[in-house]
Amino acid sequence: MIATVPDIDTASLDLEERMSRDEIEALQLRRLRHTVQYAYERVPHYTKKFDDHGVHPSDLKELADLGKFPFTTKEDLRQTYPAGMFAVPMNQVARIHASSGTTGQPTVVGYTKTDLDNWATLAARSLRASGVRPGDKVHNAYGYGLFTGGLGAHYGAEKLGCTVIPISGGQTERQIQLILDFRPSVILSTPTYLLTIFDAMRASGIDPTHTSLRHAVLGAEPWTEEMRREIEVSGNLHACDIYGLSEVMGPGVAGESVETKDGSHIWEDHFRPEIIDPVETTRVLGDGEHGELVFTSLTKEALPIIRYRTHDLTRLLPGTARPGMRRMGRIIGRSDDMIILRGVNVFPSQIEEIALRIPALSPHFQLEITRPMHMDQLAVRIEHREGVSADDARSAGQELTRLIKIHVGSTCQTDVVEPGSLARSNGKLRRIYDLRNKEQGDLYVRR
Ligand code: DLL
């Protein structure tokens, strides 16, 4: 039984977290009108894009008018590398982050002092929603450096009033030692790295359910409800989601409430989300409909971002714990992570969901796609759990193949391997190995 979380004192919430939907939308409209004007005036790339698109900031009269404006993509940031989309001179940029890209050309993002302060506020808000409280000791295993995870979560936890242990990712044995020595109540990491830490604890005879950890705030990669259950049971803690992306800010664009555990609330006082049809991209979809998540920043100074296409597939849902702000459903996957296998769309999260229903199988798996005889083939390589016999492992593999055929509609080959034999990550895990164009050396590399 995981410890209960004391009720949040609503007086400790930010003013905006207590706003009604109407108040949030009024605030959004005001901030949005300012942002499009600001971007148009200060960033030549936006001036040209808006002009080419035949739209002017004065066309934004109500929130729905945002749909008239052009999208921004990773390509726009690449074309203007490194700082061509910044809206302030470099001497006002207090920090830079970057995300690595498939082509080796990173995308660079910048923050003014005010941006950093807003980011810390939102990261703190996300952590507090997930059950973290002032005075908690926070073990931060997100990577520090150009990746936004480490420093973003760090300043959020400090702003909330926590003691931060800035361990970063990797050196798993050391992570465990520090958890035992410093007794943090909170851990921040990717979901797959937390599994790696738990596995390493068990291997050294430490029961992960008996540590000081009570809350985990996990993100930076897709994970499922089945994975939440796995982590909560393995670690005897509450696991909540945190979402974000560098181009929009970093961790803390949205955060999940521990009381409801029903998806992350998007902090709509700072970001206006839309869901679009990823194929017919002119179409904005309604709440509840699945599509690609698009964000417009409402307060950013250094890098205002208008209608940024995240490639993340999800849907918008009404607010619950914060009624004025909408939630996002779990991210099913990224449109560029979707495997199209003989016409059927397959996401790693679907495989995760199915595999974790089979008791003999672990959450450690990889997907390999090949094209023998010009026919796409999917192989699932998955570890069985400790103590499972060879016969049971074999039948678990057959069961996985059968369930994938029924629930996903794809025929795949399943290879059940020994515990510990697949690569682990220190951060974001690479699940897909696309070997279809191997001859050309065009291996799939996750962004
Ligand atoms: O991953 C920021 C972050 C750090 C978020 C730590 C949460 C915690 P990027 O490296 O730019 O930034 O990657 C952003 O990661 O578009 C999603 O595809 C994925 N992602 C991030 N959070 C989640 C999540 C950080 N909670 C990309 N669930 C995004 C699913 C996530 N996917």
Side-chain angles (χ1 to χ4, degrees):
M1 182 61 191
I2 312 171
T4 49
V5 187
D7 276 346
I8 183 113
D9 170 13
T10 45
S12 71
L13 298 181
D14 295 341
L15 173 70
E16 294 82 357
E17 287 179 275
R18 287 180 270 147
M19 283 184 174
S20 68
R21 184 73 202 149
D22 284 350
E23 287 170 318
I24 286 288
E25 291 202 338
L27 180 65
Q28 284 189 325
L29 181 58
R30 221 170 44 242
R31 291 183 166 176
L32 191 55
R33 293 182 71 169
H34 167 78
T35 296
V36 290
Q37 181 71 40
Y38 176 87
Y40 185 75
E41 280 171 8
R42 292 185 173 229
V43 183
H45 192 79
Y46 278 125
T47 319
K48 181 164 182 337
K49 272 192 100 160
F50 289 12
D51 288 347
D52 289 351
H53 208 75
V55 67
H56 187 266
S58 60
D59 294 332
L60 203 140
K61 301 206 164 52
E62 50 184 86
L63 286 172
D65 291 333
L66 181 58
K68 296 176 183 164
F69 286 77
F71 294 110
T72 305
T73 63
K74 217 176 176 58
E75 200 40 46
D76 289 297
L77 288 161
R78 292 219 170 99
Q79 278 169 15
T80 53
Y81 176 86
M85 288 190 66
F86 286 12
V88 296
M90 202 45 104
N91 64 5
Q92 287 176 37
V93 174
R95 199 194 305 156
I96 275 179
H97 281 282
S99 71
S100 54
T102 43
T103 59
Q105 166 110 307
T107 51
V108 179
V109 295
Y111 306 78
T112 63
K113 280 210 158 69
T114 307
D115 291 334
L116 289 178
D117 196 45
N118 284 333
W119 184 11
T121 300
L122 296 184
R125 191 192 282 180
S126 305
L127 295 175
R128 192 187 50 208
S130 299
V132 185
R133 296 289 175 265
D136 276 338
K137 269 182 265 168
V138 174
H139 180 100
N140 186 12
Y142 286 121
Y144 280 67
L146 286 175
F147 174 54
T148 53
L151 287 169
H154 179 107
Y155 285 106
E158 274 192 6
K159 184 148 198 173
L160 185 57
C162 303
T163 308
V164 186
I165 302 149
I167 176 97
S168 193
Q171 294 186 278
T172 307
E173 297 309 319
R174 197 155 160 258
Q175 304 255 356
I176 296 172
Q177 194 57 51
L178 291 192
I179 291 170
L180 297 180
D181 294 348
F182 295 161
R183 301 190 54 75
S185 49
V186 178
I187 185 160
L188 313 179
S189 84
T190 61
T192 55
Y193 189 51
L194 186 53
L195 288 179
T196 303
I197 294 177
F198 286 165
D199 281 352
M201 281 182 178
R202 283 190 217 98
S204 4
I206 300 156
D207 180 351
T209 61
H210 283 101
T211 73
S212 54
L213 297 172
R214 287 294 159 265
H215 293 274
V217 187
L218 311 171
E221 61 185 8
W223 55 307
T224 58
E225 278 308 310
E226 283 71 16
M227 183 73 113
R228 187 202 310 265
R229 214 163 305 129
E230 167 84 22
I231 288 172
E232 291 195 329
V233 171
S234 310
N236 184 31
L237 45 69
H238 291 281
C240 285
D241 188 45
I242 183 166
Y243 170 86
L245 65 166
S246 351
E247 294 83 356
V248 173
M249 186 179 74
V253 171
E256 190 172 44
S257 288
V258 68
E259 298 86 0
T260 46
K261 292 188 186 163
D262 56 358
S264 291
H265 279 88
I266 297 170
W267 305 127
E268 287 205 71
D269 46 335
H270 291 269
F271 310 101
R272 171 75 184 174
E274 296 169 277
I275 296 284
I276 60 161
D277 181 324
V279 185
E280 277 177 56
T281 53
T282 46
R283 216 156 70 85
V284 177
L285 303 180
D287 286 4
E289 290 187 85
H290 275 107
E292 179 181 338
L293 187 56
V294 167
F295 277 110
T296 300
S297 66
L298 301 176
T299 52
K300 279 176 72 189
E301 294 180 340
L303 186 68
I305 198 111
I306 312 292
R307 306 197 82 203
Y308 185 73
R309 291 192 57 177
T310 65
H311 289 288
D312 291 327
L313 302 175
T314 182
R315 60 186 174 148
L316 295 176
L317 298 165
T320 51
R322 305 288 181 276
M325 321 252 193
R326 283 172 292 177
R327 284 168 302 142
M328 49 195 275
R330 275 218 182 259
I331 302 220
I332 309 166
R334 295 181 50 80
S335 52
D336 41 15
D337 256 5
M338 185 172 78
I339 305 164
I340 304 178
L341 205 69
R342 299 181 214 161
V344 179
N345 300 344
V346 186
F347 289 102
S349 61
Q350 292 171 294
I351 310 291
E352 180 177 297
E353 206 175 298
I354 296 170
L356 284 176
R357 284 190 223 140
I358 303 172
L361 298 181
S362 80
H364 302 292
F365 69 92
Q366 289 173 354
L367 306 179
E368 187 180 281
I369 315 153
T370 49
R371 187 176 278 164
M373 317 295 283
H374 306 288
M375 285 280 271
D376 288 347
Q377 190 152 342
L378 173 66
V380 181
R381 202 168 296 135
I382 185 160
E383 291 178 11
H384 63 74
R385 294 193 192 262
E386 292 287 350
V388 169
S389 70
D391 277 353
D392 288 348
R394 203 169 317 111
S395 41
Q398 286 162 356
E399 179 66 355
L400 183 60
T401 306
R402 194 180 72 81
L403 291 178
I404 291 174
K405 178 75 192 162
I406 295 172
H407 296 290
V408 183
S410 283
T411 305
C412 71
Q413 183 196 319
T414 303
D415 192 7
V416 181
V417 298
E418 289 292 314
S421 54
L422 298 180
R424 298 291 194 267
S425 77
N426 291 336
K428 289 177 195 272
L429 179 69
R430 178 176 166 197
R431 292 246 194 235
I432 302 175
Y433 292 77
D434 188 343
L435 308 180
R436 281 178 290 193
N437 296 319
K438 199 171 173 225
E439 306 78 55
Q440 293 91 38
D442 184 18
L443 268 177
Y444 180 93
V445 181
R446 213 185 172 293
R447 62 179 219 137

